[in-house]
């Protein structure tokens, strides 16, 4: 887990590009990216708020910053993948080059690479919806044989698959690729290569599917969880999910990436927007 | 050693070299800004921010999360709900329990560059006595804060919600420790000034307020049974795993100002003011109303360095003045 | 005639032609939205908006501003302070006094297209009895709301802040009138559920909550003596002419939800929920928690037609359902 | 007092032009202006809020709408003169053509023309700072001999005088016109023509000066007051100023224009931003 600079920092937006139903927000962040940067681990995230016009309006929200996976590092730019699901993401989707935003990070525990599983085993990257974000930087980082399986609700969202290379796509409505769930693609892959290891991020239902499949086959799996967060650095104890062995873990510091074995099941609140 | 400070004279800013220090219950603090209990986990923050945290530690004293006799897992999720300019938390006071706190956390907290205030909660004078005795015995603990927003096992009413009950409990537990004893009042009461007076009569060395306002939220309609279904709706609609929670942040600042003013005019012991503080001017407002220290809580979630920014701002104002 | 309604069964929406009507204490209301006392002056609004006001009158019943026995001028200005997502008012209950209210305002209010609820306040059972007797004698008044956020001349404590005191006062004044008697509870208390029960035991036909949260504000620094001057600061810094005031608006909605939930689960009489309601979904939340009616207050300041918008939205939902 | 449509209405900004230290916000409002409009009286005002990004940010304000004098009617356009003195006015100063805003009005009691004073008496229009706004529409309306006296803090603000025709200007810093107070110009004018009548709007101190001078000379004077407002239509009882004969009047419905004789003195809170 690479350290974050202490305190939020004011950064400038370099671009905000449409990608199907999503947007890719690009931010100039020399402290986190580039040669002199802290170079975050794949799976780490940042807490983000627009510097201007954050909150107010009829809903009087957002008030707190929002959590976003680091999707990619490009030179001194950091990329985030956004889906508009509420007032905070809507505001961030509005940002344009030159606008400023507050960023805290990199935060959390990312994917553990040279971990339990020997590096030569094939890596299956399984993502759903906007949850594909951390898999992009993971793919950039992994120098070994990887297979990418992504699931989306519809065609507009499936366009997000362009964020990764050589992705096999499934869609709920059959508009793109396999008509069905990405977990079906996963099961098939594991049939073909029972020795593969899994890195997954996506909606709770998908993560639970991945967890169950991998548990049944004793396949090592790391799941990037989500949870409503207030702080992102362990201060509020608000972002918990239940541990298998009782008690709770804080997604922001004990995760967001956890070993699937740590969970009895993936809670309905612990996933990305479906 | 106990020290009494009259609020009429505004908090004394004694220039010490380049720093603005302040006396509080016999402790000498570098500045008047501390954290609200449960809003900053110094141990976790150290893992996240590394050495920089100590280099620019935001608080003049560090207040621990509330510790109870037995370990608590806390409430099931969801634990958070964002409100207009505020936050409801329903954390449920998760903690390791007294024993493991003293064994595992105290050594790490003793390494912090500032004095440690341990916040404890108990459901009876008996329970509180055990907690106070144990804290009294540990040199690493500079002062103790009593979170009295806890239902009295006997009366069912929050210990801090009634002046008479609060004074009784304080009289019973005060002898347990010679360390400065701070009572963290509950704002969910009819007359907080009377409760403050009860705490002072019972032997409190200082008071802190405000804690969070009782609040709740219903799940977004998209996430619950359709409106008009026959099932009991409130049950179906609750968002927080704990059912209800506490409101904090800018939304409650105006209530905090009123309660701190009401308390500071009633008691002679020092007051720690908090509630929605986001800026130097918010902190200054509380000091102007008679608070000796100001605690930053929810604002630290938006920026872990918020309290440092505020302390530095107050320091600038003071040095410009002095 | 008094009618008891159990909260477990959600408010009944009886389709009457094109309108959604509701039963409340024997009154038949066109929809569940009314105004919060003191947040809409129907007589002034008529001068400002003319005939259109009656054509699209926003409220299913109209609640008057609080009336006292003697005339009150109210507090000196400033009376308002805007807070994060909220408003502090320190109006001080200006009113013409009972006599002139009955003589001058009642005839005009009787012209409104909806039933009239007169809100009254008194500092003792004696004072309240006079107010209730006078209202009981006037056919123009359909129901009476008791604002018990008033210090008891004898105890000094707000009449509504203590369950026992509230029950006593209610028992004393209940016999004064056969009209529906609504008690407007104070939110500034330790256990609002207990106060609600006290009011019910004392004979209340319905309860309304929440009233504003005690709050205050200091003048912007630019407008007061420089910080650090020796003069007592709190005095120098007060913004509101009345010293303190009451907080309303979205900032308090989460507190309102918690208090309405606590009350609705404790009593069997109908509840009028209010506090920060801005939209159909906010109103629906309160109905889901067991409220029979919902009052719109501060939101009417942002848009005088806000309550009409909400009532129309509820009507749409109901007719889509039914 | 002309009636306001019931309920706030969503209108479109047609322009927002710099005028020295001020801005002139132009809004398309057929219901209030133009042939079919309610044609407000000079001195009436509107409650205004931006439709997007009203509130939030570090201050979490504004929450309520803000009161602005109707400065001028031009076809179906209504003009407002803005001075940035806080979060609400700052936001309104940001608005550009095409942006939308909520408007309630026309509100309040305007200047009473053919009132007590016979129409042929000369009208002295006395304004200070942004308080000159209602005098512009008043000048447009008055078809008789008028003299305009305006006071400003400095040159940048004095540029606002262009809003009216043939204005005699005073400035606190002497950068433009008479070096001193506009009340000095008023006293001189009343020396010359003791039969003139006065219509004034501006900072509390200026209004108090006008009131005192006119009281002393028994000159009829109408003062357009200001006060912090929550509603603008008599609902909140928040906008009061003390009456001479005891009690308070509500600036939004009993004013904003009041006969100077109704006041003992002009309260420090009852004027325009200085
Ligand atoms: C570690 C992590 C990484 C993430 N990475 C990404 C990413 O890369 N890209 C991305 O688009 N998103 C990501 N998210 C999700 C993102 O943080 C949320 O979508 C965002 O916070 C939504 O905020 P909002 O204001 O747009 O919508 P909100 O309305 O605030 O939140 C949407 C959801 O939160 C709940 N909710 C609704 N109202 C409230 C309320 N008042 N208080 C609390 N909860 C409420 C509901 O379940 C609703 O569906 C990530 C989350 C985490 C924890
Ligand atoms: C009838 C009328 C007509 C007006 N016409 C015009 C006009 O034509 N042009 C124009 O520019 N202005 C006009 N004003 C003044 C204008 O309404 C105010 O300047 C505006 O409301 C300021 O809002 P703000 O958010 O910009 O600043 P705020 O900070 O909200 O208000 C500025 C002043 O209000 C006080 N204040 C500060 N904080 C608060 C708070 N939290 N709550 C309450 N008060 C606070 C202080 O005195 C401060 O100086 C008029 C006012 C009235 C009543
Ligand atoms: C997430 C969260 C957890 C809290 N936990 C505690 C606690 O354990 N003990 C306690 O006395 N107060 C606790 N509080 C209350 C704060 O210390 C503080 O009194 C309150 O939040 C008001 O200050 P603020 O508005 O600056 O946050 C907690 C507050 C929050 C938001
Ligand atoms: C300006 C103002 C004046 C009020 N006057 C009264 C009053 O006279 N009597 C009363 O019982 N409540 C009064 N209230 C309280 C409201 O009726 C209501 O209980 C409270 O504002 C919460 O609702 P809201 O958030 O929708 O405004 C007043 C509130 C405001 C904002
Ligand atoms: S988000 Fe605050 S502890 Fe995880
Ligand atoms: S602004 Fe509300 S009564 Fe005048």
């Amino acid at each position: 887990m690479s350290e974050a600079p202490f305190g939020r920092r004011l950064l400038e937006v370099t671009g905000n590009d449409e990608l199907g139903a999503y947007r890719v927000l690009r931010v100039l962040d020399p402290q986190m990216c580039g040669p002199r940067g802290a170079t975050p681990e794949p799976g780490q995230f940042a807490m983000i708020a627009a510097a201007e016009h954050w909150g107010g309006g009829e809903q009087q929200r957002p008030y707190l910053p929002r959590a976003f996976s680091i999707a990619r590092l490009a030179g001194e730019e950091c990329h985030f993948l956004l889906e508009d699901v509420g007032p905070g993401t809507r505001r961030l989707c509005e940002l344009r080059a030159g606008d400023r935003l507050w960023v805290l990070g990199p935060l959390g525990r990312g994917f553990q690479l040279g971990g339990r599983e020997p590096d030569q085993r094939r890596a299956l990257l399984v993502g759903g919806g906007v949850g594909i974000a951390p898999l992009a930087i993971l793919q950039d980082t992994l120098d070994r044989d990887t297979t990418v399986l992504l699931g989306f609700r519809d065609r507009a969202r499936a366009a997000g698959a362009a964020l990764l290379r050589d992705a096999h796509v499934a869609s709920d409505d059959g508009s793109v690729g396999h008509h069905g769930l990405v977990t079906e693609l996963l099961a098939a892959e594991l049939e073909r290569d029972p020795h593969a290891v899994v890195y997954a991020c996506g909606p709770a239902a998908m993560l639970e599917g991945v967890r169950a499949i991998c548990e049944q086959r004793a396949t090592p799996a790391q799941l990037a969880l989500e949870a409503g967060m207030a702080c992102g650095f362990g201060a509020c104890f608000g972002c918990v999910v239940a541990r298998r062995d009782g008690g709770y873990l804080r997604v922001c510091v004990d995760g967001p990436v956890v070993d699937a074995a740590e969970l009895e099941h993936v809670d309905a609140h612990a996933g990305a927007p479906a | 050693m106990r020290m009494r400070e009259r609020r009429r004279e505004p908090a004394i800013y004694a220039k010490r070299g380049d720093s603005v220090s302040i006396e509080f219950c016999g402790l000498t603090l570098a500045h008047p800004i501390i954290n609200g209990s449960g809003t900053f986990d110094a141990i976790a923050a150290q893992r996240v921010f590394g050495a920089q945290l100590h280099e620019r530690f935001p608080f003049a004293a560090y207040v621990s999360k509330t510790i109870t006799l037995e370990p608590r897992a806390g409430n099931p999720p969801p634990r958070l709900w964002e409100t207009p300019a505020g936050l409801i938390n329903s954390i449920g006071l998760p903690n390791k329990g007294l024993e493991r706190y003293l064994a595992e956390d105290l050594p790490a907290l003793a390494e912090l560059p500032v004095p440690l205030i341990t916040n404890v909660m108990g459901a009876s004078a008996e329970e509180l006595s055990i907690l106070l005795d144990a804290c009294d015995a540990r040199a690493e603990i500079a002062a103790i804060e009593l979170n009295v927003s806890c239902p009295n096992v006997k009366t069912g009413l929050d210990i801090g919600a009634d002046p008479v009950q609060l004074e009784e409990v304080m009289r019973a537990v005060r002898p347990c420790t010679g360390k400065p004893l701070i009572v963290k009042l509950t704002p969910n009461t009819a007359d907080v000034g009377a409760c403050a007076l009860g705490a002072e009569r019972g032997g409190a060395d200082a008071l802190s307020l405000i804690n969070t306002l009782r609040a709740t939220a219903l799940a977004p309609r998209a996430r619950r049974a359709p409106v008009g279904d026959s099932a009991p709706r409130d049950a179906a609609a609750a968002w927080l795993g704990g059912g209800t929670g506490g409101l904090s942040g800018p939304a409650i600042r105006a209530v905090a100002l009123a309660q701190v003013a009401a308390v500071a005019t009633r008691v002679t012991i020092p007051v720690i003011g908090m509630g929605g503080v986001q800026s130097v001017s918010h902190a200054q407002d509380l000091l102007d109303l008679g608070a000796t220290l100001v605690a930053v809580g929810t604002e630290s979630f938006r920026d872990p360095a918020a309290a440092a920014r505020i302390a530095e701002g107050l320091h600038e104002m003071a040095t410009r003045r002095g």
Side-chain angles (χ1 to χ4, degrees), chain A, chain B:
Chain A
M1 167 169 137
S2 67
E3 282 178 12
F6 179 59
R8 66 180 186 178
R9 51 198 187 278
L10 191 60
L11 301 177
E12 193 174 311
V13 173
T14 43
N16 193 346
D17 317 318
E18 212 170 309
L19 182 68
Y22 308 108
R23 299 196 78 94
V24 176
L25 176 69
R26 294 185 282 111
V27 179
L28 193 65
D29 189 359
Q31 276 183 275
M32 190 157 72
C33 320
R36 287 161 289 93
T39 53
E41 292 167 1
Q44 283 195 289
F45 67 100
M47 297 297 287
I48 300 182
E52 280 87 32
H53 301 311
W54 190 247
E58 294 306 304
Q59 287 187 278
Q60 298 281 346
R61 292 201 308 128
Y63 155 59
L64 297 161
R66 300 297 194 243
F68 296 90
S69 304
I70 292 159
R72 173 156 284 143
L73 304 178
E76 295 196 331
E77 264 189 5
C78 183
H79 296 187
F80 300 95
L81 185 69
L82 308 180
E83 178 173 20
D84 173 353
V85 300
T89 46
R90 185 162 314 130
R91 174 63 186 136
L92 293 176
C93 287
E94 280 175 13
L95 294 179
R96 294 296 174 259
D99 290 342
R100 292 161 328 140
L101 72 183
W102 291 109
V103 173
L104 178 73
L107 300 167
R109 178 178 170 284
F111 292 103
Q112 303 305 301
L113 304 185
R116 273 184 24 213
E117 69 284 357
D119 271 2
Q120 62 277 17
R121 288 169 66 171
R122 190 152 59 103
L124 300 183
L125 278 48
V126 185
V130 76
I132 66 174
L135 302 182
I137 181 173
L138 176 61
Q139 184 180 42
D140 295 346
T141 311
L142 286 171
D143 49 11
R144 67 181 195 268
D145 187 11
T146 71
T147 300
V148 178
L149 310 173
L150 307 178
F152 299 94
R153 286 229 298 273
D154 49 38
R155 173 174 296 280
R157 288 184 171 79
L163 200 68
L164 285 86
R165 279 171 278 106
D166 317 318
H168 304 270
V169 174
S171 59
D172 301 358
D173 64 1
S175 56
V176 186
H178 170 71
H179 186 173
L181 301 174
V182 67
T183 44
E184 291 156 12
L185 299 181
L186 171 62
E189 278 299 323
L190 288 174
E191 278 302 327
R192 208 166 308 131
D193 178 356
H195 294 291
V197 296
V198 171
Y199 303 88
C201 183
M206 182 207 101
L207 290 177
E208 173 57 16
V210 171
R211 191 203 58 76
I213 290 170
C214 294
E215 178 177 48
Q216 184 206 10
R217 300 168 165 275
T219 302
Q222 294 182 38
L223 310 179
L225 303 178
E226 295 193 5
M229 292 188 172
C231 71
F233 57 96
C236 74
F237 285 78
C239 61
V240 297
V241 300
R243 266 212 182 75
R244 165 173 254 127
D245 55 23
Y248 298 100
L249 53 79
R250 281 174 287 181
V251 170
C252 70
V253 285
D254 304 322
V257 178
V258 302
D259 192 311
E262 290 184 61
L263 307 177
E264 180 93 41
H265 65 85
V266 177
D267 179 275
H269 288 285
Chain B
M1 180 280 258
R2 311 235 205 110
M3 190 200 104
R4 307 240 160 220
E5 185 174 42
R6 328 204 100 278
R7 62 165 289 283
R8 271 279 152 243
E9 32 190 79
I12 318 113
Y13 284 76
K15 291 271 274 320
R16 298 261 169 105
D18 186 40
S19 93
V20 177
S21 77
I22 191 165
E23 296 296 319
F24 174 79
C25 295
L27 306 173
T28 300
L29 306 182
H31 57 75
I33 304 299
I34 67 173
N35 65 300
S37 171
T39 65
F40 201 95
D41 181 336
I43 295 172
Q46 227 161 316
R47 294 214 313 277
V48 176
F49 303 113
Q52 320 155 70
L53 178 64
H54 284 214
E55 290 156 15
R56 194 186 169 202
F57 196 75
F59 311 110
Y62 176 74
V63 183
S64 79
K65 190 156 176 51
T66 291
I67 306 302
T68 51
L69 207 46
E70 299 305 322
R72 293 167 60 111
N75 293 335
R79 290 180 171 184
L80 302 172
W81 181 261
E82 185 182 62
T83 71
L87 170 68
I88 306 177
N89 82 83
S90 181
I91 309 300
L93 304 173
N95 76 97
K96 299 175 162 181
L98 177 64
E99 212 168 292
R100 286 183 52 212
Y101 167 76
L102 296 174
E104 297 167 16
D105 293 355
L106 210 48
L109 296 176
E111 298 300 310
L112 295 176
V114 300
L116 172 65
I117 300 172
T118 294
N119 177 297
V120 299
M121 183 178 92
S124 66
E126 295 65 32
E127 233 179 281
L128 284 167
S129 304
I130 303 173
L131 288 156
L132 293 189
D133 286 334
C135 292
D136 188 64
R138 297 299 298 261
E140 302 94 325
I141 298 174
I144 305 169
E145 184 174 61
L146 231 60
N147 176 359
V148 294
S149 299
C150 176
N152 183 327
V153 282
K154 300 188 188 65
T155 65
L157 189 70
D158 280 5
I159 288 177
D162 174 67
V164 178
Q165 176 176 245
L166 180 55
E167 181 173 348
E168 277 172 19
V169 171
M170 282 302 294
R171 286 194 191 287
V173 304
R174 168 73 264 192
C176 298
T177 181
K179 294 188 196 281
L181 195 51
I182 306 159
V183 171
K184 173 102 172 245
L185 299 167
T186 172
N188 302 302
T189 183
D191 182 351
V192 73
C195 295
L197 212 51
E200 182 179 36
R201 292 215 191 88
D205 297 308
L207 302 169
S208 60
L209 71 161
I210 67 173
N211 208 323
T212 56
L213 301 181
R214 214 173 284 126
T216 195
L218 301 196
R221 228 148 237 84
R223 291 205 168 211
R224 47 171 152 142
V227 173
D229 66 333
S230 53
R233 298 176 181 188
D234 37 4
W239 168 261
L240 298 164
T244 65
L247 182 64
S248 66
I252 70 167
R253 191 167 59 241
V255 174
L257 285 170
Q259 294 208 355
V260 167
V263 166
T265 47
R266 290 285 283 278
V267 300
T268 59
I269 50 178
V271 170
I272 304 171
M274 70 192 90
V277 171
Q278 299 183 282
S279 68
V280 171
S281 104
H282 298 156
Q284 192 61 61
D285 280 352
L286 287 166
L287 296 172
D288 290 352
L289 287 174
T292 300
L293 302 180
V294 169
V296 173
T298 304
E299 186 65 8
S300 294
F301 301 162
R302 305 197 328 135
D303 180 4
R309 191 185 71 231
I310 293 168
E312 287 151 11
L314 285 172
H315 178 213
E316 245 177 57
M317 286 174 63
T319 43
R320 246 191 279 104
R321 254 184 275 132

